[in-house]
mmCIF file of all heavy atoms in Angstrom:
data_model
loop_
_atom_site.group_PDB
_atom_site.id
_atom_site.type_symbol
_atom_site.label_atom_id
_atom_site.label_comp_id
_atom_site.label_asym_id
_atom_site.label_seq_id
_atom_site.Cartn_x
_atom_site.Cartn_y
_atom_site.Cartn_z
ATOM 1 N N LEU O 143 27.053 8.084 21.584
ATOM 2 C CA LEU O 143 27.240 8.163 20.141
ATOM 3 C C LEU O 143 28.580 8.805 19.795
ATOM 4 O O LEU O 143 29.240 8.401 18.824
ATOM 5 C CB LEU O 143 26.090 8.938 19.503
ATOM 6 C CG LEU O 143 24.716 8.281 19.626
ATOM 7 C CD1 LEU O 143 23.632 9.193 19.074
ATOM 8 C CD2 LEU O 143 24.694 6.942 18.904
ATOM 9 N N ARG O 144 29.006 9.791 20.581
ATOM 10 C CA ARG O 144 30.313 10.411 20.343
ATOM 11 C C ARG O 144 31.442 9.393 20.523
ATOM 12 O O ARG O 144 32.390 9.358 19.731
ATOM 13 C CB ARG O 144 30.520 11.587 21.296
ATOM 14 C CG ARG O 144 29.654 12.808 21.003
ATOM 15 C CD ARG O 144 29.928 13.894 22.036
ATOM 16 N NE ARG O 144 31.313 14.386 21.904
ATOM 17 C CZ ARG O 144 31.988 14.941 22.907
ATOM 18 N NH1 ARG O 144 31.426 15.051 24.111
ATOM 19 N NH2 ARG O 144 33.217 15.371 22.712
ATOM 20 N N ILE O 145 31.328 8.569 21.566
ATOM 21 C CA ILE O 145 32.349 7.540 21.797
ATOM 22 C C ILE O 145 32.385 6.543 20.649
ATOM 23 O O ILE O 145 33.455 6.180 20.138
ATOM 24 C CB ILE O 145 32.092 6.823 23.141
ATOM 25 C CG1 ILE O 145 32.345 7.784 24.302
ATOM 26 C CG2 ILE O 145 32.970 5.588 23.270
ATOM 27 C CD1 ILE O 145 31.923 7.237 25.657
ATOM 28 N N LEU O 146 31.209 6.076 20.224
ATOM 29 C CA LEU O 146 31.162 5.109 19.124
ATOM 30 C C LEU O 146 31.752 5.703 17.850
ATOM 31 O O LEU O 146 32.509 5.034 17.133
ATOM 32 C CB LEU O 146 29.715 4.657 18.884
ATOM 33 C CG LEU O 146 29.123 3.712 19.932
ATOM 34 C CD1 LEU O 146 27.647 3.492 19.666
ATOM 35 C CD2 LEU O 146 29.874 2.375 19.933
ATOM 36 N N ARG O 147 31.400 6.947 17.552
ATOM 37 C CA ARG O 147 31.935 7.585 16.347
ATOM 38 C C ARG O 147 33.455 7.730 16.443
ATOM 39 O O ARG O 147 34.176 7.506 15.466
ATOM 40 C CB ARG O 147 31.268 8.944 16.133
ATOM 41 C CG ARG O 147 31.699 9.623 14.827
ATOM 42 C CD ARG O 147 30.985 10.942 14.614
ATOM 43 N NE ARG O 147 29.562 10.736 14.378
ATOM 44 C CZ ARG O 147 28.601 11.111 15.219
ATOM 45 N NH1 ARG O 147 28.903 11.723 16.359
ATOM 46 N NH2 ARG O 147 27.336 10.903 14.932
ATOM 47 N N TRP O 148 33.952 8.104 17.617
ATOM 48 C CA TRP O 148 35.388 8.286 17.783
ATOM 49 C C TRP O 148 36.122 6.954 17.667
ATOM 50 O O TRP O 148 37.176 6.867 17.032
ATOM 51 C CB TRP O 148 35.668 8.938 19.139
ATOM 52 C CG TRP O 148 37.076 9.465 19.267
ATOM 53 C CD1 TRP O 148 37.591 10.599 18.719
ATOM 54 C CD2 TRP O 148 38.145 8.842 19.988
ATOM 55 N NE1 TRP O 148 38.909 10.734 19.053
ATOM 56 C CE2 TRP O 148 39.277 9.671 19.834
ATOM 57 C CE3 TRP O 148 38.248 7.677 20.745
ATOM 58 C CZ2 TRP O 148 40.502 9.359 20.414
ATOM 59 C CZ3 TRP O 148 39.470 7.370 21.329
ATOM 60 C CH2 TRP O 148 40.582 8.196 21.159
ATOM 61 N N LEU O 149 35.563 5.905 18.269
ATOM 62 C CA LEU O 149 36.177 4.572 18.142
ATOM 63 C C LEU O 149 36.216 4.121 16.685
ATOM 64 O O LEU O 149 37.178 3.469 16.248
ATOM 65 C CB LEU O 149 35.401 3.558 18.984
ATOM 66 C CG LEU O 149 35.582 3.623 20.500
ATOM 67 C CD1 LEU O 149 34.642 2.634 21.179
ATOM 68 C CD2 LEU O 149 37.029 3.337 20.883
ATOM 69 N N ALA O 150 35.166 4.459 15.932
ATOM 70 C CA ALA O 150 35.112 4.050 14.521
ATOM 71 C C ALA O 150 36.207 4.718 13.700
ATOM 72 O O ALA O 150 36.594 4.192 12.643
ATOM 73 C CB ALA O 150 33.737 4.381 13.939
ATOM 74 N N GLU O 151 36.708 5.843 14.166
ATOM 75 C CA GLU O 151 37.751 6.561 13.428
ATOM 76 C C GLU O 151 39.166 6.091 13.782
ATOM 77 O O GLU O 151 40.119 6.488 13.140
ATOM 78 C CB GLU O 151 37.637 8.060 13.716
ATOM 79 C CG GLU O 151 36.343 8.679 13.203
ATOM 80 C CD GLU O 151 36.144 10.097 13.700
ATOM 81 O OE1 GLU O 151 36.957 10.549 14.552
ATOM 82 O OE2 GLU O 151 35.186 10.746 13.240
ATOM 83 N N ARG O 152 39.285 5.238 14.832
ATOM 84 C CA ARG O 152 40.603 4.744 15.249
ATOM 85 C C ARG O 152 41.000 3.527 14.419
ATOM 86 O O ARG O 152 40.161 2.760 13.971
ATOM 87 C CB ARG O 152 40.614 4.332 16.724
ATOM 88 C CG ARG O 152 40.171 5.373 17.749
ATOM 89 C CD ARG O 152 40.932 6.660 17.655
ATOM 90 N NE ARG O 152 40.101 7.670 17.008
ATOM 91 C CZ ARG O 152 40.546 8.808 16.523
ATOM 92 N NH1 ARG O 152 41.833 9.076 16.561
ATOM 93 N NH2 ARG O 152 39.726 9.672 15.972
ATOM 94 N N HIS O 153 42.298 3.338 14.266
ATOM 95 C CA HIS O 153 42.818 2.176 13.537
ATOM 96 C C HIS O 153 43.064 0.995 14.462
ATOM 97 O O HIS O 153 43.317 -0.116 13.993
ATOM 98 C CB HIS O 153 44.109 2.546 12.817
ATOM 99 C CG HIS O 153 43.923 3.552 11.725
ATOM 100 N ND1 HIS O 153 43.210 3.282 10.580
ATOM 101 C CD2 HIS O 153 44.355 4.835 11.615
ATOM 102 C CE1 HIS O 153 43.209 4.355 9.791
ATOM 103 N NE2 HIS O 153 43.892 5.307 10.397
ATOM 104 N N ARG O 154 43.004 1.223 15.768
ATOM 105 C CA ARG O 154 43.259 0.152 16.738
ATOM 106 C C ARG O 154 42.527 0.488 18.040
ATOM 107 O O ARG O 154 42.104 1.632 18.240
ATOM 108 C CB ARG O 154 44.761 -0.002 16.996
ATOM 109 C CG ARG O 154 45.425 1.261 17.471
ATOM 110 C CD ARG O 154 46.929 1.065 17.618
ATOM 111 N NE ARG O 154 47.548 0.726 16.346
ATOM 112 C CZ ARG O 154 47.946 1.647 15.461
ATOM 113 N NH1 ARG O 154 47.754 2.931 15.691
ATOM 114 N NH2 ARG O 154 48.509 1.293 14.340
ATOM 115 N N PRO O 155 42.357 -0.501 18.923
ATOM 116 C CA PRO O 155 41.703 -0.228 20.215
ATOM 117 C C PRO O 155 42.445 0.848 21.011
ATOM 118 O O PRO O 155 43.654 1.046 20.842
ATOM 119 C CB PRO O 155 41.757 -1.586 20.924
ATOM 120 C CG PRO O 155 41.827 -2.576 19.815
ATOM 121 C CD PRO O 155 42.659 -1.929 18.743
ATOM 122 N N VAL O 156 41.695 1.513 21.886
ATOM 123 C CA VAL O 156 42.250 2.624 22.661
ATOM 124 C C VAL O 156 41.857 2.477 24.128
ATOM 125 O O VAL O 156 40.981 1.686 24.478
ATOM 126 C CB VAL O 156 41.749 3.991 22.127
ATOM 127 C CG1 VAL O 156 42.185 4.201 20.689
ATOM 128 C CG2 VAL O 156 40.226 4.065 22.233
ATOM 129 N N SER O 157 42.491 3.257 24.987
ATOM 130 C CA SER O 157 42.202 3.200 26.415
ATOM 131 C C SER O 157 41.031 4.109 26.764
ATOM 132 O O SER O 157 40.725 5.066 26.053
ATOM 133 C CB SER O 157 43.433 3.626 27.219
ATOM 134 O OG SER O 157 43.699 5.011 26.990
ATOM 135 N N ALA O 158 40.394 3.816 27.882
ATOM 136 C CA ALA O 158 39.314 4.681 28.373
ATOM 137 C C ALA O 158 39.850 6.066 28.692
ATOM 138 O O ALA O 158 39.154 7.070 28.483
ATOM 139 C CB ALA O 158 38.667 4.046 29.601
ATOM 140 N N ALA O 159 41.066 6.127 29.196
ATOM 141 C CA ALA O 159 41.662 7.427 29.503
ATOM 142 C C ALA O 159 41.809 8.274 28.247
ATOM 143 O O ALA O 159 41.571 9.491 28.271
ATOM 144 C CB ALA O 159 43.021 7.231 30.177
#
Side-chain angles (χ1 to χ4, degrees):
L143 295 175
R144 289 179 65 205
I145 292 171
L146 287 173
R147 185 178 293 112
W148 194 76
L149 286 175
E151 295 170 353
R152 305 305 104 195
H153 294 294
R154 57 184 61 86
V156 299
S157 67

